[in-house]
Amino acid sequence: GEFTAAAYNGHLAERKIMGSRCGECGELHLPPRPICSGCRSRSMSWAELSGKGKVIGLTSVAIAPSAMVERGFGRDNPYVTAIVSLDDGPSIAARIEGVDANDLPGSVSIGMAVVADFLEETVDEEKRATLVFRPV
């Protein structure tokens, strides 16, 4: 199949994190892409990632974009977004659930182990699966 955002989101709805693996150099990409950024090969195939990783960067967001404000986040209810380095190799930016955004770095810190979870949320009036991470 094609390595599109729609295909990636379809896999999230199935509770799977799917990236693309290069058939030439083996590099794993997330989100998936049709051309390897390492060797420029087009011989890509779908690869499922474990969803386990660790936080390598994070921030608390209180001035939220409108889509997050619609979900109840904002100045009085900040959320944590982080860069998660997956055990499989790639890194991805995602929200961290189950932590107190007012208590950094207490509730979440660099190096903390996390695992993927999938929330059904409404985005632009459309239900869609959102990839988030939770502390292990």
Side-chain angles (χ1 to χ4, degrees), residues 14-97:
E14 297 168 0
R15 303 182 69 81
K16 292 180 181 174
I17 306 171
M18 299 295 286
S20 57
R21 183 181 302 281
C22 177
E24 296 295 318
C25 73
E27 191 167 334
L28 198 51
H29 300 279
L30 188 68
R33 52 189 313 145
I35 301 170
C36 179
S37 60
C39 72
R40 313 305 295 163
S41 169
R42 291 178 180 266
S43 71
M44 306 296 276
S45 60
W46 286 104
E48 185 171 359
L49 287 85
S50 70
K52 295 182 176 130
K54 66 176 188 261
V55 173
I56 59 171
L58 67 133
T59 189
S60 169
V61 181
I63 308 301
S66 58
M68 294 302 285
V69 170
E70 286 172 19
R71 294 181 209 158
F73 292 103
R75 197 179 302 276
D76 297 327
N77 185 29
Y79 62 97
V80 175
T81 187
I83 304 295
V84 175
S85 174
L86 294 172
D87 293 353
D88 312 84
S91 296
I92 189 165
R95 201 163 80 229
I96 306 293
E97 286 286 295

